[in-house]
Amino acid sequence: MPAISRGNRNRCPVPGTLYNTNTLEAFHALDKKSLLKEEANKIWEDIHNGRAVEDSAVLSRFLLISFADLKKWSFHYWFAFPALVLDPPATLVESKRASEWFTSEEVKSVSVACNDWRNSSLTADVPFFFISIASNSHATIRHLKDWEACQADNQKVLFGFYDPCHEKDPGWPLRNFLALISSRWNLKSVHFLCFRESRGFMDMESSLVIEALITAPQGLNDRQLVPNAVGWEKNKNKYVYRCINLATSMDPTRLAVSAADLNLKLMRWRALPSLNLDELSSVKCLLIGAGTLGCQVARMLMAWGVRKITLLDNGRVAMSNPLRQSLYTLDDCLDGGDFKALAAAKSLKRIFPAVEAKGEVMAIPMPGHPVTNQEEKSVVDDCSRLYDLVDSHDAVFLLTDTRESRWLPTLLCASANKITITAALGFDSFLVMRHGPGPFSSVHANTSSVDMENLAQTDKGGKRLGCYFCNDVVAPTDSTANRTLDQQCTVTRPGLAPIASSLAVELFVSILHHPDGMFAEGDITNSTSSSGGSEPPLGILPHQIRGSLFHFSQMTLVGHSSNSCTACCSTVVSEYRKKGIEFLLQAINHPTYLEDLTGLTELKESANSFKLDWDDETDDFDDDDDCVEI
């Protein structure tokens, strides 16, 4: 260990050994006798090799065995302060208060010398020393190595030590001091000063002066003959360990944070050294949709250490929700039902008080859902509010139950270049995907004269990954009108949402820990990782994960961005940046606007006008020679 800087009068360095076991059974199985003997051997060796004279703190060794149950904040521990036992033991001749043993002049001189010793940056934490008192009552304190300087005639010499005991008897450090004196200087009669303080100054009334007779034991100078040792601390007058439970005295929120962090720290310690817990705790996630998917995603994010979660929804908790949507209870359904976003945020805080959860109640403006003049101001406010929410978060999860409700968040994320994760459910199938970076991610946001084809490239030069709408050949429209009861309800197998939600969160965490982040290329199962030679800590990073409970199967796919995408192509994003709310109102009120803008209308007209010319001539297929096996 590096040398400890001196100068703090409130601290003395004490070397020791800590044995911390992994289980309570291992704690009980420790050989206490052998451990104490091992520490006593160290003290005996330091006495014989001279280290105890150079650094007297080694005489005060300690031993601590412990077991820490960090989940319950329960600690089992047992201290031992090894003390060598002289045989025969030293004989106490007399013990007096220092104020009675010294003369009045000596009291003043010794007090000044001791206080100076304690206040000096060079000696404050040296616990064993000599005190020599000249015939003129002048006291001098010296290091143990300066013993020869204390041998002048007509001088009183006392061995001093910092005494932690305030009873009538001296403290335990005296035992090992006696062993050192007996072995090193072979003295027969010794005077000790048990140095004690009161309010930062030497207290002559509580300090003791003790005279003891030492009979040198046989084999005292033999290193191999180590004296017996005592020192295990008693607990209620019994030699048993102590146990303390800190949980009852700690803030429940702090306990919850510590317990949650412990699991993640153990994960990092055992399997993922590169796990970035600071990034996970600071990242801000916006969950659009607080239904079946939103509830599960929120809980999975908290399990990964995400502490900043905002939920957006305008629905209320219905009687059918609590069974599938894990953040709600029956109480949330009463009196017309609480707003989902607010109830979900409140539930998250009940589950984990340290989470910074907020609920935002608002409707998402959607294409194909035209608005009247009276509603236009409200829609404009919602668009502005959604823009601010996307802009103030680092990642956005699209978890709504209609296709068109995902369009505006997708557009805003593409424009702001945010990490975007989509999860969508069928009856027994699901899709989880990450959106690629926005079309302007590698160029300045206001550039308008750039080759449009190049805007679909990522910073790494490859074609950027697509969004949720890139495979569509039609613009999103109103999918909620004229729906029957079975179409209004989310009809899906109950186990599907937890699977998709978990995959969505795992995909997000993998993005955070990938060296290329959201710019990473899409990996597929059994493929070489897109990160090059180094394997990412969490494995491959796919673009899309499609699964089926019917077949209990799952596959990874890659889909690149489309130049005609109604949500993320450069044409749409550029038009949005130029016209802002005017563009959004056009997309909301006119069903064909996005298709006309992106060229999908022209593409469909071309497809409809395409005719196949069939050969009307009939061929005789009876001749096997005209048949070709494929």
Side-chain angles (χ1 to χ4, degrees):
M1 295 294 292
I4 300 176
S5 60
R6 300 187 181 279
N8 189 339
R9 70 183 315 279
N10 297 314
R11 178 199 69 216
C12 281
V14 180
T17 302
L18 166 65
Y19 287 90
N20 187 59
T21 61
N22 285 331
T23 64
L24 184 58
E25 292 76 12
F27 174 81
H28 289 305
L30 285 174
D31 188 343
K32 284 81 173 175
K33 184 177 180 180
S34 297
L35 292 176
L36 184 64
K37 184 69 174 178
E38 184 179 340
E39 294 303 308
N41 289 346
K42 295 178 183 178
I43 297 174
W44 188 244
E45 179 63 24
D46 289 337
I47 288 175
H48 279 275
N49 63 22
R51 186 184 175 193
V53 175
E54 295 294 328
D55 181 10
S56 59
V58 298
L59 294 174
S60 303
R61 286 187 178 275
F62 72 90
L63 171 66
L64 171 61
I65 61 174
S66 66
F67 165 68
D69 188 338
L70 298 182
K71 284 192 173 182
K72 298 179 180 178
W73 286 94
S74 176
F75 298 86
H76 297 71
Y77 67 96
W78 199 352
F79 270 102
F81 302 93
L84 300 175
V85 178
L86 297 181
D87 186 17
T91 303
L92 177 66
V93 177
E94 73 170 344
S95 175
K96 286 186 176 181
R97 294 179 181 177
S99 59
E100 298 174 355
W101 193 85
F102 292 113
T103 66
S104 58
E105 291 79 6
E106 291 173 345
V107 166
K108 295 178 182 179
S109 182
V110 170
S111 295
V112 170
C114 287
N115 289 330
D116 289 343
W117 179 270
R118 289 285 288 134
N119 290 320
S120 170
S121 62
L122 299 177
T123 57
D125 53 2
V126 178
F128 297 90
F129 45 86
F130 289 120
I131 302 175
S132 61
I133 304 175
S135 57
N136 61 358
S137 300
H138 178 72
T140 304
I141 301 182
R142 304 176 187 272
H143 290 275
L144 295 182
K145 61 184 178 181
D146 298 328
W147 165 254
E148 287 75 13
C150 298
Q151 302 307 304
D153 295 337
N154 301 322
Q155 282 194 346
K156 293 180 181 178
V157 178
L158 296 90
F159 291 85
F161 68 97
Y162 296 158
D163 190 357
C165 182
H166 279 265
E167 303 297 332
K168 63 179 182 179
D169 297 319
W172 60 270
L174 179 58
R175 288 176 178 265
N176 294 334
F177 205 8
L178 280 168
L180 171 65
I181 294 169
S182 177
S183 174
R184 186 78 178 182
W185 296 292
N186 196 25
L187 300 178
K188 306 301 182 183
S189 177
V190 183
H191 287 86
F192 295 96
L193 172 64
C194 303
F195 177 91
R196 298 171 179 177
E197 286 186 334
S198 176
R199 299 183 179 181
F201 296 97
M202 183 179 184
D203 185 0
M204 282 290 183
E205 291 298 318
S206 62
S207 296
L208 302 176
V209 175
I210 295 175
E211 182 183 358
L213 297 179
I214 303 176
T215 302
Q218 187 176 3
L220 184 65
N221 295 320
D222 188 349
R223 291 192 181 187
Q224 305 304 318
L225 295 179
V226 181
N228 291 328
V230 296
W232 285 109
E233 196 175 43
K234 285 186 177 181
N235 180 17
K236 297 179 180 178
N237 292 321
K238 294 181 179 180
Y239 285 106
V240 293
Y241 62 86
R242 298 173 184 265
C243 182
I244 184 172
N245 190 336
L246 298 182
T248 56
S249 61
M250 296 180 69
D251 177 16
T253 300
R254 295 282 299 276
L255 284 174
V257 172
S258 178
D261 288 346
L262 175 63
N263 288 331
L264 293 169
K265 289 177 180 178
L266 290 176
M267 185 188 303
R268 181 174 62 183
W269 176 57
R270 296 190 63 178
L272 291 172
S274 60
L275 185 63
N276 193 333
L277 299 182
D278 292 335
E279 184 172 11
L280 285 168
S281 64
S282 62
V283 68
K284 299 177 182 178
C285 293
L286 173 62
L287 279 55
I288 300 181
T292 308
L293 288 169
C295 291
Q296 294 289 345
V297 166
R299 298 199 66 154
M300 291 299 103
L301 286 173
M302 287 201 306
W304 264 109
V306 176
R307 299 289 181 259
K308 298 176 175 62
I309 300 174
T310 302
L311 299 108
L312 186 154
D313 202 301
N314 73 328
R316 292 180 179 270
V317 184
M319 287 291 182
S320 61
N321 292 155
L323 288 177
R324 293 183 180 229
Q325 300 176 14
S326 58
L327 294 180
Y328 308 126
T329 64
L330 180 63
D331 291 341
D332 299 317
C333 309
L334 304 179
D335 300 323
D338 296 334
F339 283 110
K340 284 187 174 182
L342 302 180
K346 184 178 179 181
S347 180
L348 290 178
K349 292 179 180 179
R350 283 199 302 266
I351 295 169
F352 187 63
V355 69
E356 298 177 28
K358 295 188 298 182
E360 297 286 346
V361 180
M362 63 167 288
I364 301 174
M366 298 177 281
H369 293 250
V371 295
T372 64
N373 292 335
Q374 292 79 8
E375 298 171 324
E376 188 171 300
K377 183 180 184 304
S378 175
V379 170
V380 170
D381 291 341
D382 287 339
C383 290
S384 176
R385 188 175 170 189
L386 183 59
Y387 170 86
D388 292 337
L389 286 170
V390 170
D391 186 63
S392 62
H393 288 77
D394 304 305
V396 179
F397 288 80
L398 306 184
L399 310 168
T400 55
D401 54 5
T402 63
R403 194 173 191 82
E404 61 269 27
S405 61
R406 303 167 189 258
W407 176 81
L408 181 55
T410 298
L411 170 62
L412 296 176
C413 289
S415 178
N417 205 41
K418 298 289 185 177
I419 296 176
T420 311
I421 305 291
T422 285
L425 305 177
F427 168 66
D428 56 10
S429 61
F430 66 84
L431 164 68
V432 174
M433 66 178 294
R434 59 184 174 101
H435 294 198
F440 297 101
S441 59
S442 59
V443 296
H444 193 275
N446 293 327
T447 301
S448 59
S449 59
V450 180
D451 182 2
M452 291 300 175
E453 185 177 348
N454 292 332
L455 290 179
Q457 310 297 315
T458 67
D459 284 343
K460 296 186 68 177
K463 193 170 179 61
R464 66 184 181 92
L465 298 177
C467 75
Y468 182 67
F469 295 92
C470 277
N471 290 334
D472 289 355
V473 292
V474 294
T477 58
D478 187 356
S479 62
T480 60
N482 300 318
R483 292 197 301 182
T484 58
L485 178 62
D486 62 304
Q487 294 171 333
Q488 296 174 28
C489 299
T490 303
V491 181
T492 180
R493 289 173 65 165
L496 205 62
I499 295 174
S501 301
S502 298
L503 288 173
V505 175
E506 294 294 327
L507 188 62
F508 165 66
V509 175
S510 295
I511 293 173
L512 291 184
H513 288 81
H514 195 283
D516 298 328
M518 68 180 299
F519 291 95
E521 299 175 6
D523 298 328
I524 59 175
T525 306
N526 299 326
S527 70
T528 303
S529 169
S530 61
S531 64
S534 61
E535 185 72 19
L538 295 175
I540 68 169
L541 181 56
H543 175 222
Q544 300 181 25
I545 307 169
R546 294 179 181 265
S548 168
L549 281 184
F550 184 81
H551 297 288
F552 284 92
S553 63
Q554 185 175 296
M555 59 182 175
T556 55
L557 302 172
V558 176
H560 293 110
S561 60
S562 168
N563 290 332
S564 300
C565 177
T566 57
C568 80
C569 75
S570 56
T571 304
V572 171
V573 175
S574 178
E575 195 73 5
Y576 160 69
R577 290 185 174 184
K578 290 178 183 177
K579 297 183 178 179
I581 193 63
E582 179 186 348
F583 164 80
L584 296 180
L585 290 175
Q586 285 276 77
I588 291 170
N589 290 323
H590 301 284
T592 63
Y593 175 72
L594 291 174
E595 295 179 2
D596 295 341
L597 178 66
T598 57
L600 287 178
T601 301
E602 182 180 352
L603 177 63
K604 288 192 292 184
E605 290 175 352
S606 299
N608 292 333
S609 64
F610 182 73
K611 295 182 180 180
L612 291 176
D613 293 329
W614 295 96
D615 189 354
D616 293 333
E617 296 181 5
T618 59
D619 294 328
D620 186 4
F621 291 102
D622 293 335
D623 189 354
D624 290 341
D625 294 338
D626 294 332
C627 296
V628 178
E629 183 178 354
I630 301 178

